[in-house]
Amino acid sequence: MISYGVVVHGGAGSSGELSEGCRAACEAAFRMLAAGNSALDAAVEAARLLEDDGRFNAGRGSVLRMDGETIEMDAAVADSTGKIGVVINIREVKNPVLVALAVTGTPHVALAGRGAEAFARSLGFAPYHDFSRKAGGRGGTSSDTIGADTIGVVALDRRGIFALATSTGGAAPMMVGRVGDTPMIGCGFYAGPGAAVAVTGLGEESIRKMLAKSVYDMIAGEMDALSACEKGIGLVAPGIKMGVIAISRRDWSAKASGPMAHCGMICEKAQ
Ligand code: GLY
């Protein structure tokens, strides 16, 4: 059985060279969990580090939309106590995941577009413009990006609470205003009393399959996380890049239909 632990991914299609970035984020979250911090705070901190990294498609590293100039980002946080905070198509903030966390302190679950930005400014999040401004992985040139898509973190804390944080600059190519799975509960993320699940890959496919909830339900039905993630990837149409990470009370898993940088660290319960 797991006492506490965390799993981080760097996006469906992210190459091994990004693993060290995932490891650094994972270690930071793991240290927080070991010190007794909540799964939510640990997951958000790992996601913040990946947003700041610049090599992942989230935060600073978010890819451009089809107009070649717009960056719109999505992020979500949730835990198994029922906290949920989401931002959709937010612009000009450095850390969408921190704004999503702040949404959990409002009566709402999700804020989008200009309203989300106004909310961020009201809390002191400064306008941010220093993005890497990469063309999208699937639509841009190969030198623009190493193919990362979304970052995600799932965690279990010492109190037995599951939490997650996800963040993305979106898939590519994508129209201005398009929304993927990352901010959609049950599609890009899900947390409940049995597990936390985060999905990466083509949002349109993950939304159609409600992939995060599908994997969660398998784990809640007593399947181990490894098998559930494998079966989840099996639901995806052939040829589509997709990845799933999950942590349950028994095990954790990171599965993808192709490469996906990731890292997992757990502390087992003494028997
Ligand atoms: N998985 C990220 C997106 O499709 O937007």
Side-chain angles (χ1 to χ4, degrees), residues 110-138:
L111 293 174
R114 282 188 304 170
E117 282 147 38
F119 172 67
R121 303 288 175 254
S122 76
L123 296 178
F125 289 91
Y128 184 78
H129 305 285
D130 191 23
F131 296 100
S132 341
R133 298 200 170 273
K134 300 176 287 199
R138 297 182 194 102

Side-chain angles (χ1 to χ4, degrees), residues 83-101:
K83 278 188 187 162
I84 303 175
V86 171
V87 290
I88 298 168
N89 279 349
I90 193 168
R91 301 184 186 191
E92 297 180 3
V93 293
K94 188 175 181 214
N95 294 111
V97 76
L98 297 183
V99 187
L101 180 64

Side-chain angles (χ1 to χ4, degrees), residues 76-271:
V77 304
D79 77 9
S80 54
T81 71
K83 278 188 187 162
I84 303 175
V86 171
V87 290
I88 298 168
N89 279 349
I90 193 168
R91 301 184 186 191
E92 297 180 3
V93 293
K94 188 175 181 214
N95 294 111
V97 76
L98 297 183
V99 187
L101 180 64
V103 172
T104 65
T106 75
H108 308 305
V109 162
L111 293 174
R114 282 188 304 170
E117 282 147 38
F119 172 67
R121 303 288 175 254
S122 76
L123 296 178
F125 289 91
Y128 184 78
H129 305 285
D130 191 23
F131 296 100
S132 341
R133 298 200 170 273
K134 300 176 287 199
R138 297 182 194 102
T141 65
S142 57
S143 61
D144 285 326
T145 176
I146 21 189
D149 168 306
T150 312
I151 61 88
V153 186
V154 294
L156 171 64
D157 66 29
R158 286 177 180 273
R159 294 172 303 153
I161 293 170
F162 291 100
L164 61 88
T166 62
S167 182
T168 190
M174 67 190 150
M175 297 162 70
V176 175
R178 174 261 187 195
V179 182
D181 60 326
T182 302
M184 291 198 191
I185 187 166
C187 306
F189 69 94
Y190 196 83
V197 180
V199 171
T200 173
L202 185 63
E204 282 74 3
E205 176 72 359
S206 161
I207 291 166
R208 287 193 176 93
K209 301 287 161 56
M210 292 192 67
L211 198 53
K213 184 64 160 59
S214 301
V215 171
Y216 177 86
D217 284 346
M218 291 185 232
I219 296 172
E222 300 298 310
M223 191 180 283
D224 58 273
L226 189 66
S227 306
C229 288
E230 262 169 16
K231 283 195 182 297
I233 292 298
L235 298 173
V236 174
I240 291 182
K241 273 190 208 165
M242 199 66 76
V244 186
I245 59 171
I247 188 165
S248 73
R249 297 192 192 280
R250 287 187 298 172
D251 67 336
W252 67 272
S253 179
K255 284 282 159 197
S257 54
M260 180 177 73
H262 67 274
C263 180
M265 300 180 72
I266 57 163
C267 175
E268 304 265 9
K269 268 187 183 149
Q271 295 301 314

